[in-house]
Amino acid sequence: MVNYPYELMTIGSNSKTKKNVEEAEPATEQEQPMQTLPQTESAQYSHEDYAKRVEAQEKEAQEEKDKRTRAVLDYVHRTMSRFLYEEDLYKVIEAVKEWSNDTNYTPIAINRFKETVENIPLRHFVWNIAERLGKRDYTMAMRIAFVKALFPKPFEGLDYSTLKNLKAPCSNDVIPIDEPDNGGYKFHDISEETSE
């Protein structure tokens, strides 16, 4: 009988045994002590804990914004030094810095270029910047207003409907569109410098 399954061994059970088992079950349930789950203390957070967490999040956000702004300002310096005189380049850098703090900032106009640049590359320039500063915060209208105020001569006579495609293709793409990677802020135009 050792080798027979349990079901085969219980086939021959009489009804008296089954009745005893059925009657015994409710009593067994009542007699068993209730199982208690281990008690975990609920976490207690103070105002100080909250304030520390908020401060840490704000510091992290500010550090991220500072990194984005530094990358953008470096891009402005590298890209526009080709087209602008030094004095005007620093005005553009300051204008972009102000724009990074205030999306409605109106820059001082730059009207002279040491090398001619058309409006489409300048549109690309502003698009590349705004994508890094926060594409949700910098609407198309804000971007257009900024670039038109910053460089009014190349945009004379052009209205919003003409300018709304900041990513318009250009035959002489001296400032190409630079799509950021997954919400990142690094630019792809940085040439790899090798130190020997």
Side-chain angles (χ1 to χ4, degrees), residues 12-24:
S13 302
N14 62 27
S15 62
K16 186 175 180 181
T17 309
K18 285 185 180 179
K19 186 176 179 184
N20 290 342
V21 170
E22 289 173 5
E23 289 174 357

Side-chain angles (χ1 to χ4, degrees), residues 38-57:
Q39 294 296 320
T40 56
E41 289 186 34
S42 63
Q44 298 295 318
Y45 297 104
S46 67
H47 172 71
E48 190 175 283
D49 295 328
Y50 173 79
K52 284 181 184 177
R53 173 55 43 209
V54 168
E55 184 181 335
Q57 290 170 341

Side-chain angles (χ1 to χ4, degrees), residues 104-162:
N104 294 312
Y105 174 76
T106 303
I108 296 170
I110 305 296
N111 286 312
R112 64 185 186 146
F113 294 90
K114 66 181 183 181
E115 184 179 316
T116 303
V117 60
E118 297 174 8
N119 72 62
I120 292 178
L122 293 173
R123 290 189 230 176
H124 293 177
F125 170 71
V126 169
W127 186 90
N128 292 341
I129 291 169
E131 287 297 296
R132 268 87 178 169
L133 293 178
K135 65 172 136 186
R136 290 187 187 122
D137 299 330
Y138 293 83
T139 65
M140 192 61 61
M142 290 173 178
R143 295 174 191 203
I144 291 170
F146 182 79
V147 74
K148 281 183 73 170
L150 187 59
F151 303 116
K153 278 194 177 178
F155 292 94
E156 282 179 340
L158 300 177
D159 62 0
Y160 180 84
S161 63
T162 305

Side-chain angles (χ1 to χ4, degrees), residues 35-97:
Q35 291 183 346
T36 58
L37 296 174
Q39 294 296 320
T40 56
E41 289 186 34
S42 63
Q44 298 295 318
Y45 297 104
S46 67
H47 172 71
E48 190 175 283
D49 295 328
Y50 173 79
K52 284 181 184 177
R53 173 55 43 209
V54 168
E55 184 181 335
Q57 290 170 341
E58 288 173 353
K59 182 180 178 186
E60 195 174 290
Q62 186 60 46
E63 287 172 357
E64 175 71 12
K65 184 179 185 224
D66 291 346
K67 286 179 187 176
R68 286 178 180 277
T69 303
R70 278 193 304 275
V72 165
L73 296 178
D74 183 54
Y75 170 77
V76 171
H77 190 269
R78 283 190 331 273
T79 303
M80 297 308 289
S81 61
R82 173 180 173 182
F83 304 105
L84 299 173
Y85 296 99
E86 186 175 9
E87 175 185 327
D88 293 330
L89 174 63
Y90 290 113
K91 288 178 185 175
V92 172
I93 290 171
E94 283 304 310
V96 170
K97 192 184 300 182

